[in-house]
Amino acid sequence: MITFLTALALLILGYVIYGAFVEKVFGADKDRQTPAYEKQDGIDYLPMPSWKVFLIQFLNIAGTGPIFGAIQGILFGPAAYFWIVLGCIFGGATHDYLAGMISLRKGGASLPEVVGAELGSAGRFSMRFISLLLMVMVGAVFVTTPASLLDDLCPMQNFFGGSAWPFVIFFYYILATLLPIDALIGRVYPLFGVALIFMAIGVLFGVVTQAGSLPEITEAFTNHHPKSIGLFPGLCITIACGAVSGFHATQSPMMARCLKNEKLGRPVFYGAMITEGLVALIWAAAAIKFADSLPGDGTPYERLLQAMTGADGKINPAIVVNTICSSWLGTVGAFLAVLGVVAAPITSGDTAFRAARLITADFMNFKQDTVVRRLILAVPLFVIAAILMVVDFSVLWRYFAWLNQTLSIFTFWAITLWLYKINKPYIITLIPALWMTCVCTTFIMQSGEGFSMLFHNQVDHPSLYIEQWPLIANFIGFAVTAALLALFVKFMKNNPVSSLPKAQENGVSNVNN
């Protein structure tokens, strides 16, 4: 319990101390006019109350990620606490804040344009492709997943005999993508955001009062995963939304277009990520304490894995969420559990489509001032998502976690270059950039979705089997990271700060890379 409570305190102190430092590095100016006023159009650029912007940002980036990811992440042991705290403070919150604030300085530009301004045309093209792919995948999956849950709770048939829920949710996504941001999202999100926070507070009370014990720091460097999945890089990929997630930076520009004041960026961007970290930490602790109270043989980690395994043999953290809320919080908890596992993915799916529309509008320089112009960009996105909904793209989805974290690499490196060019302490994003580069490269080399399936799968490819492949994969990860660091050092040598154009006034750098 001491380790858990310390971790909670450190997250809060991280916002107060390190968040203030990051804000100072950026140089937030309360007197600078924001895009919400400068480009106000009543659709996407619109001044909104800061509390509402915070709750929308929180739900945009949260979804079920900080709950499901944390429950699966605690299987690695209390090392999950370390990753949530350190990853959130120095990685995720810094990543989300600076991505959002640089977007704000660039007139509310979407993430690919922000990254492209620093990494050049190749980086811009890659980010456009990865971002749009990620947004459409999120939108498609977050139709089918909540629809199946709703169909179990309240069956509703369409005219063809199948479930009507996918059509209902998809129709809602269309409205949320096309309507002004305050017309639907601005009204619904605050309610869901408050409910999600209230649920976390209730579960926190259960963590403190319910039976069972929590792991302490003495176990932190032992991998407890029942399936013996490697602590590195497995933990950093499993817990994304509660620590570092590339998806978040695609959402921040939406709220950058609604901020009334640059000083509000810290509570909105940095604060929303810290709040998400707190939710992840609470659910990680709740899951393992709940498992410790369960009868049966084996370690709490083994019992937790059994508890979240459905009748079909698939891992489903929603089972644990529902059981914990029902047993710890009663009827109210059961309702909140349903709300969480249904509403949370929906509130990520709708903004994924909206972000995709805005990303497309930015790189096409296509105004979105009328419904017809918004439909022109949104319809192709919806068609692609509809196709994905009716085909089996499970193989593609297995790459989602890696793709999501890889997105953060581009963002971290772009922000690092931006900070260097305006002569600010770029070290605050250089270290996370190097770390995530190593994590993602190693993961794709080690995992069954990467090159490992060729070199480390004795059953399917006995002739290509290499027993030392995991070690080789680690070496490749470190080598790629070292190579990118060398390129960055070379860039600094060829472009000393004294020779770069001054861009402090508007926060825009235009150095050729």
Side-chain angles (χ1 to χ4, degrees), residues 27-67:
D29 182 0
K30 65 180 179 62
D31 296 321
R32 185 190 294 268
Q33 189 179 43
T34 63
Y37 293 107
E38 186 180 5
K39 296 185 175 183
Q40 186 170 355
D41 61 5
I43 307 296
D44 300 308
Y45 291 89
L46 184 67
M48 295 177 67
S50 57
W51 65 270
K52 186 175 288 189
V53 177
F54 165 81
L55 287 172
I56 295 174
Q57 173 71 7
F58 173 60
L59 270 182
N60 281 355
I61 66 175
T64 56
I67 301 175

Side-chain angles (χ1 to χ4, degrees), residues 374-384:
R374 296 196 289 277
L375 275 170
I376 290 173
L377 298 187
V379 167
L381 299 172
F382 289 131
V383 169
I384 295 171

Side-chain angles (χ1 to χ4, degrees), residues 8 29 49 74 94 101 107 118 244 359 380 425 469 471 489:
L8 282 177
D29 182 0
I74 196 62
T94 302
M101 295 304 289
E118 309 304 326
V244 177
I359 289 170
W469 181 250
L471 183 62
V489 171

Side-chain angles (χ1 to χ4, degrees), residues 18 21-22 25 90-91 94 98 412-413 415-420 423-435 485 488 492:
Y18 196 73
F21 170 71
V22 174
V25 168
F90 300 106
T94 302
L98 290 174
F412 272 128
W413 280 110
I415 296 172
T416 301
L417 284 168
W418 186 84
L419 290 172
Y420 172 75
N423 198 23
K424 292 297 183 72
Y426 57 84
I427 193 72
I428 64 173
T429 51
L430 174 61
I431 293 176
L434 294 170
W435 175 257
L485 177 60
F488 179 66
M492 291 191 295

Side-chain angles (χ1 to χ4, degrees), residues 76 83 229-239 435 438-447 474:
F76 291 95
W83 172 234
I229 298 175
L231 191 63
F232 177 85
L235 175 60
C236 301
I237 298 293
T238 302
I239 301 181
W435 175 257
C438 190
V439 164
C440 293
T441 306
T442 303
F443 177 79
I444 199 63
M445 300 304 293
Q446 279 190 4
S447 70
N474 282 336

Side-chain angles (χ1 to χ4, degrees), residues 356-423:
R357 174 177 66 79
L358 295 176
I359 289 170
T360 307
D362 278 1
F363 75 72
M364 293 181 65
N365 196 25
F366 193 75
K367 289 186 177 181
Q368 299 290 277
D369 51 346
T370 67
V371 173
V372 173
R373 296 179 73 86
R374 296 196 289 277
L375 275 170
I376 290 173
L377 298 187
V379 167
L381 299 172
F382 289 131
V383 169
I384 295 171
I387 294 172
L388 290 177
M389 286 167 54
V390 296
V391 300
D392 181 10
F393 62 107
S394 58
V395 174
L396 180 63
W397 186 248
R398 287 206 300 267
Y399 291 90
F400 171 79
W402 173 78
L403 187 66
N404 176 51
Q405 298 300 66
T406 299
L407 198 66
S408 72
I409 297 175
F410 285 87
T411 305
F412 272 128
W413 280 110
I415 296 172
T416 301
L417 284 168
W418 186 84
L419 290 172
Y420 172 75
K421 292 171 185 178
I422 62 173
N423 198 23

Side-chain angles (χ1 to χ4, degrees), residues 91-116:
T94 302
H95 167 276
D96 295 4
Y97 173 78
L98 290 174
M101 295 304 289
I102 294 173
S103 168
L104 185 146
R105 285 281 176 92
K106 293 177 181 287
S110 59
L111 181 64
E113 309 314 307
V114 170
V115 171

Side-chain angles (χ1 to χ4, degrees), residues 74-324:
I74 196 62
L75 291 173
F76 291 95
Y81 296 162
F82 277 86
W83 172 234
I84 291 171
V85 172
L86 297 178
C88 190
I89 295 172
F90 300 106
T94 302
H95 167 276
D96 295 4
Y97 173 78
L98 290 174
M101 295 304 289
I102 294 173
S103 168
L104 185 146
R105 285 281 176 92
K106 293 177 181 287
S110 59
L111 181 64
E113 309 314 307
V114 170
V115 171
E118 309 304 326
L119 300 186
S121 56
R124 181 181 286 108
F125 176 81
S126 298
M127 285 298 291
R128 286 171 178 171
F129 176 77
I130 294 174
S131 298
L132 286 174
L133 175 62
L134 196 67
M135 296 305 98
V136 174
M137 287 174 64
V138 168
V141 168
F142 286 167
V143 169
T144 55
T145 302
S148 63
L149 293 170
L150 285 168
D151 201 45
D152 291 337
L153 296 169
C154 182
M156 182 170 59
Q157 290 188 339
N158 59 38
F159 293 111
F160 305 101
S163 173
W165 283 113
F167 296 96
V168 173
I169 295 173
F170 206 74
F171 180 70
Y172 164 76
Y173 284 176
I174 292 173
L175 293 179
T177 303
L178 299 177
L179 292 175
I181 191 141
D182 64 335
L184 188 57
I185 291 176
R187 297 176 187 274
V188 174
Y189 271 45
L191 298 175
F192 288 150
V194 170
L196 196 60
I197 293 172
F198 182 78
M199 178 172 62
I201 293 172
V203 173
L204 173 60
F205 181 77
V207 171
V208 176
T209 60
Q210 293 292 324
S213 61
L214 292 175
E216 299 291 354
I217 194 172
T218 52
E219 305 175 38
F221 301 105
T222 302
N223 185 3
H224 297 272
H225 203 291
K227 292 187 176 182
S228 299
I229 298 175
L231 191 63
F232 177 85
L235 175 60
C236 301
I237 298 293
T238 302
I239 301 181
C241 284
V244 177
S245 172
F247 174 75
H248 295 183
T250 66
Q251 305 300 293
S252 293
M254 276 195 292
M255 292 299 96
R257 303 180 184 205
C258 299
L259 279 180
K260 293 181 177 181
N261 188 308
E262 282 195 358
K263 283 290 186 179
L264 298 174
R266 181 175 158 219
V268 168
F269 298 125
Y270 203 97
M273 184 61 218
I274 291 294
T275 305
E276 187 180 82
L278 290 168
V279 171
L281 197 65
I282 290 168
W283 274 103
I288 199 61
K289 190 169 190 181
F290 165 75
D292 189 61
S293 68
L294 293 174
D297 298 328
T299 67
Y301 304 98
E302 292 169 336
R303 295 200 294 273
L304 176 59
L305 183 62
Q306 293 170 4
M308 72 171 79
T309 302
D312 57 359
K314 296 181 179 180
I315 303 299
N316 184 4
I319 300 172
V320 174
V321 173
N322 184 63
T323 306
I324 289 176

